[in-house]
Amino acid sequence: MRRILTYGTFDLLHWGHIRLLKRARAQGDYLIVALSTEEFNAGKGKRTYHDYETRKKMLEAVRYVDLVIPEERWDQKVSDVKRYEIDAVVMGADWAGDERFEILREHCELIFLERTEGISTTKIKEELGR
């Protein structure tokens, strides 16, 4: 079984998120999503509309997702890969070259996928005037 892992906040779940999850799952047989907690997001200067539990339930309802785990800090990635026996980490292409993911190359494959053009949580919030 090929295990895939991705990370994200997944607030205001939209088509770009669904498309990323579908393409990530297509890379293997089992998809784990490490979902950023409110505390972790606050440390990054981000605020979510939905709380962690709501975002977790939304992701669990997506057929491409097999398991949702909490992302609580930047440095948990190597331990996540080892603990869940991950074969590949899949992220949006904007993360390519970021050291926080590059360190995983010695533990698993890294796959960077192009983002869905024209849609993002930031864009939605801006257009709604939030």
Side-chain angles (χ1 to χ4, degrees), residues 25-73:
R25 179 64 189 298
Q27 300 295 320
D29 307 298
Y30 192 85
L31 177 61
I32 299 171
V33 176
L35 180 63
S36 300
T37 63
E38 279 103 23
E39 296 80 12
F40 182 53
N41 279 328
K44 296 186 288 183
K46 292 173 79 174
R47 194 173 120 238
T48 59
Y49 180 81
H50 295 290
D51 65 18
Y52 176 85
E53 285 303 319
T54 300
R55 291 181 288 122
K56 183 176 188 276
K57 287 176 186 171
M58 288 190 300
L59 284 170
E60 289 171 340
V62 176
R63 68 179 173 172
Y64 309 114
V65 176
D66 295 294
L67 178 66
V68 178
I69 62 172
E71 180 187 22
E72 299 171 311
R73 57 188 199 289

Side-chain angles (χ1 to χ4, degrees), residues 4-46:
I4 307 300
L5 174 62
T6 192
Y7 290 84
T9 299
F10 298 96
D11 194 24
L12 303 182
L13 197 61
H14 56 69
W15 172 240
H17 290 138
I18 299 300
R19 192 166 170 265
L20 176 72
L21 295 169
K22 180 179 182 181
R23 292 181 299 150
R25 179 64 189 298
Q27 300 295 320
D29 307 298
Y30 192 85
L31 177 61
I32 299 171
V33 176
L35 180 63
S36 300
T37 63
E38 279 103 23
E39 296 80 12
F40 182 53
N41 279 328
K44 296 186 288 183
K46 292 173 79 174

